[in-house]
Amino acid sequence: MIDRVARVWSSDFVRRDLRVAALPWALARVLVVGSLWVSRHLDDRLVPRRHGGAPGLGLFIYDGDWYRNIAEHGYAELPKQGLRFFPLYPLLGRWLGTVFLDHTGVALVVIGSVAALVLGALTHRLVLRETDDARMAMRAAWFVAVFPAALPFVLAYAETLMMAAAVGMFLALRSKRWIPAAALGVVVGLTRPVGLLLMIPAAVEALRDWREATGRDRLWRVGAVASPGVGMALYLAWVGAEYDDPLLPFSVQSRHDLRGATIDPITHVVNSVGDVLDGDRFGAGLHLVWLVVFVGLLVVVARRLPASYTAYGAATLVLATTAKNISSFDRYVFSTFVFAIAVALVTVRADLERVVLTLAAGGLVVYSTLAFFQLYVP
């Protein structure tokens, strides 16, 4: 019986979910790679480059270059700030690199791209499960791939690996399949530090029907809740053994050019408004717009989806607004897949869907071009 269910699920995943996710996945890569080509051929007099220009790094700009260096050389050969990048993604890149004749960078791009395709497919499956609306599930698969803040999902970043595991974990949690949820939680915890936030929605789901659960079932529920923390603890234990300070991955983030000091969200918003009044309309002003958009989308999630989705989205939004440096604010928030689902929820009308998708695709091109000129940090 279990084998039969697995075969049916697997067949549906390939025939329906992956098929829906394939086109937006491909379009996102065409738009970003096309933007990279344009950025390499624009005259510096039209768009000045910072720090000598980033197009030479291609899909390895910003965090991607760190992940490639970690995969090729290990943490010991890099400054300690490299420890803020969790190990699973670069480790997979190193292992798979042998298949590509030691071209580790190619392996990282392949891993991120495959994870992005799986992310779109799993998002389609999750929304179809929650809403029983095929059109809405299709829109969610589109918006999780084609959106301005989805640029890192094409670059050599770890976001897609974490998000694919997170959506899979949600599917398992909502189906009360605690063992797969726990396994995926460990993956999330080893991939990104924000993966720890998955403990919150896991706790919400684990507490459902707690009184009716058996002792063994409760044990597995606790394991699912703890699993992201277990994944993170494994990495921190290694850091502690190698560097005598297991919290280095977090303390190095306090540099002013990284995450910066932790501040309360109200101060964050007030400072951003002040920056806008001082003339920083592109940086702080754009992040303020995104903050308003994400708050609105969170309200939609709270009204339309189970509490675990709202808990996850709210925790991510609050954490993102506690950073003094908000250069990657939209990426941090959008890497919580519930906001892509929220966009699908509000674009029910066909005309609105077309407009928003067109704007999203155009925004992805603009963000990509700016990022390749180091005028925007994804």
Side-chain angles (χ1 to χ4, degrees):
M1 180 64 181
I2 295 177
D3 289 342
R4 181 181 177 185
V5 171
R7 286 195 300 270
V8 171
W9 199 97
S10 177
S11 174
D12 284 346
F13 182 76
V14 173
R15 181 167 43 86
R16 181 173 56 182
D17 302 316
L18 282 176
R19 184 178 178 181
V20 169
L23 183 56
W25 173 87
L27 178 61
R29 274 140 192 82
V30 169
L31 294 176
V32 173
V33 173
S35 301
L36 174 60
W37 184 88
V38 170
S39 68
R40 283 179 168 171
H41 290 80
L42 280 179
D43 195 307
D44 283 358
R45 289 172 296 181
L46 297 177
V47 183
R49 307 177 195 271
R50 295 181 181 176
H51 312 302
L57 292 174
L59 300 180
F60 298 93
I61 56 173
Y62 297 107
D63 291 6
D65 195 32
W66 281 99
Y67 281 120
R68 181 169 57 180
N69 284 324
I70 293 169
E72 292 178 350
H73 308 294
Y75 290 101
E77 301 297 322
L78 300 175
K80 287 184 179 180
Q81 60 176 301
L83 292 168
R84 72 187 194 273
F85 298 101
F86 275 40
L88 185 57
Y89 178 53
L91 275 178
L92 291 176
R94 174 179 290 185
W95 295 334
L96 187 62
T98 58
V99 177
F100 295 99
L101 304 178
D102 291 329
H103 288 86
T104 305
V106 174
L108 289 173
V109 172
V110 169
I111 292 168
S113 295
V114 171
L117 181 59
V118 173
L119 166 63
L122 289 176
T123 300
H124 178 267
R125 172 61 63 98
L126 181 63
V127 175
L128 195 61
R129 181 194 183 283
E130 297 291 6
T131 67
D132 198 29
D133 186 329
R135 186 68 190 179
M136 187 171 295
M138 181 181 296
R139 286 199 303 275
W142 271 87
F143 285 120
V144 83
V146 181
F147 204 78
L151 168 59
F153 306 168
V154 181
L155 304 176
Y157 276 44
E159 264 70 13
T160 53
L161 181 60
M162 183 200 76
M163 291 176 69
V167 178
M169 185 178 181
F170 255 77
L171 275 166
L173 290 170
R174 295 287 295 153
S175 304
K176 297 183 179 180
R177 297 166 61 217
W178 309 112
I179 298 177
L184 289 167
V186 173
V187 171
V188 169
L190 281 168
T191 306
R192 293 275 291 131
V194 293
L196 194 67
L197 296 179
L198 265 298
M199 295 179 68
I200 298 174
V204 173
E205 293 297 333
L207 289 174
R208 296 182 190 275
D209 307 319
W210 178 264
R211 292 182 178 179
E212 290 76 21
T214 64
R216 183 176 181 180
D217 186 54
R218 289 181 179 183
L219 183 62
W220 280 116
R221 292 183 186 215
V222 171
V225 174
S227 59
V230 171
M232 177 181 288
L234 291 174
Y235 174 52
L236 297 183
W238 176 84
V239 173
E242 292 291 322
Y243 296 90
D244 297 323
D245 184 358
L247 298 182
L248 267 179
F250 300 105
S251 59
V252 296
Q253 287 275 32
S254 61
R255 284 180 40 160
H256 69 89
D257 57 335
L258 298 178
R259 189 179 189 273
T262 299
I263 61 177
D264 66 88
I266 302 301
T267 301
H268 174 108
V269 174
V270 171
N271 290 344
S272 297
V273 172
D275 290 340
V276 171
L277 295 177
D278 289 337
D280 185 12
R281 293 178 176 83
F282 179 76
L286 189 59
H287 291 306
L288 274 178
V289 171
W290 278 120
L291 177 60
V292 173
V293 170
F294 286 135
V295 169
L297 291 174
L298 186 61
V299 172
V300 173
V301 171
R303 296 180 62 181
R304 300 285 300 276
L305 294 175
S308 51
Y309 291 83
T310 307
Y312 186 33
T316 302
L317 191 56
V318 170
L319 180 64
T321 54
T322 61
K324 187 174 183 179
N325 185 353
I326 58 172
S327 58
S328 300
F329 172 80
D330 44 344
R331 188 247 298 190
Y332 291 148
V333 179
F334 197 71
S335 63
T336 305
F337 63 88
V338 298
F339 291 99
I341 295 176
V343 178
L345 291 173
V346 300
T347 52
V348 177
R349 287 171 29 207
D351 57 341
L352 181 60
E353 175 188 339
R354 288 192 295 269
V355 169
V356 174
L357 187 56
T358 301
L359 291 174
L364 180 58
V365 170
V366 171
Y367 269 41
S368 300
T369 305
L370 292 174
F372 291 130
F373 278 98
Q374 290 192 324
L375 300 173
Y376 162 73
V377 181

